[in-house]
Amino acid sequence: MTDLISLLKHPDTTIAIVGATDNPAKFGNIIYKDLKRKGFRLFPVNPNKKMVEHDSVYPSLSEIPEKPTIVDFVVPPEVTLKILKQCLDLGLMNVWLQPGTTTPAVIDFLQQNRFNYLTACIMVESRFISK
C-alpha cells in the first residue's frame, strides 16, 4: 500500500475534498483553503454547493473530470460510508478521513474492501509540504 503522507509530496497529486463548503466556520472550508494555499490541486465535492473559494464544485465524485489521487472526507460518518461505496465503485482507493468522519462501521468497510486509508488531519500532516 502507498503511504498517503508520501503522496502529498508528489507534484501531480490531486485531492477531492468531500464536504467542501463556502461556510468559513466549517472544516470543509478551513481544510479546503489550507490545502489550496499550500498549492495542492483540489476538486471540491458537495451536491449542495456551486462554488467554494471561487472554484466550481462537483456534485459527486463521478463528475470529477479526472481520477483524484486522494479522496479526503470532511462529512459525518453516515455520509462517509455512503461516499466510500461510490469510491469503491469508481476505483478510488486512497482515502483520507478527517477526525469525526468515522465509526466502527466505516473502519470495517475500509478494511473489508482493502482501501488504502489514513485517519488523521490532513492539515497537520501537510503542514511542511507546499507545491
Side-chain angles (χ1 to χ4, degrees), residues 4-75:
L4 293 181
I5 295 171
S6 69
L7 282 177
L8 294 177
K9 298 174 185 173
H10 291 255
D12 57 345
T13 291
T14 57
I15 305 170
I17 309 288
V18 175
T21 182
D22 56 353
N23 183 339
K26 298 207 170 237
F27 280 108
N29 182 264
I30 295 166
I31 290 167
Y32 190 83
K33 287 192 301 189
D34 179 76
L35 295 176
K36 187 175 179 179
R37 180 183 51 77
K38 291 173 181 167
F40 288 97
R41 199 157 67 100
L42 306 174
F43 300 111
V45 178
N46 188 326
N48 302 311
K49 300 291 176 188
K50 297 285 184 203
M51 300 290 287
V52 171
E53 297 302 314
H54 308 290
D55 297 327
S56 295
V57 177
Y58 298 93
S60 70
L61 290 170
S62 64
E63 296 187 48
I64 296 173
E66 63 184 84
K67 185 176 177 177
T69 310
I70 297 170
V71 178
D72 183 48
F73 286 81
V74 193
V75 291

Side-chain angles (χ1 to χ4, degrees), residues 111-124:
Q111 292 174 347
Q112 288 174 8
N113 291 287
R114 299 180 183 212
F115 276 87
N116 186 29
Y117 71 95
L118 183 61
T119 57
C121 180
I122 198 167
M123 291 188 305
V124 172

Side-chain angles (χ1 to χ4, degrees), residues 17-19 27-28 31 71-84 95-110 117-122:
I17 309 288
V18 175
F27 280 108
I31 290 167
V71 178
D72 183 48
F73 286 81
V74 193
V75 291
E78 60 276 5
V79 178
T80 297
L81 192 55
K82 177 183 168 191
I83 304 300
L84 279 173
V95 297
W96 198 300
L97 299 126
Q98 295 298 134
T101 63
T102 66
T103 61
V106 168
I107 300 300
D108 286 346
F109 185 83
L110 291 165
Y117 71 95
L118 183 61
T119 57
C121 180
I122 198 167

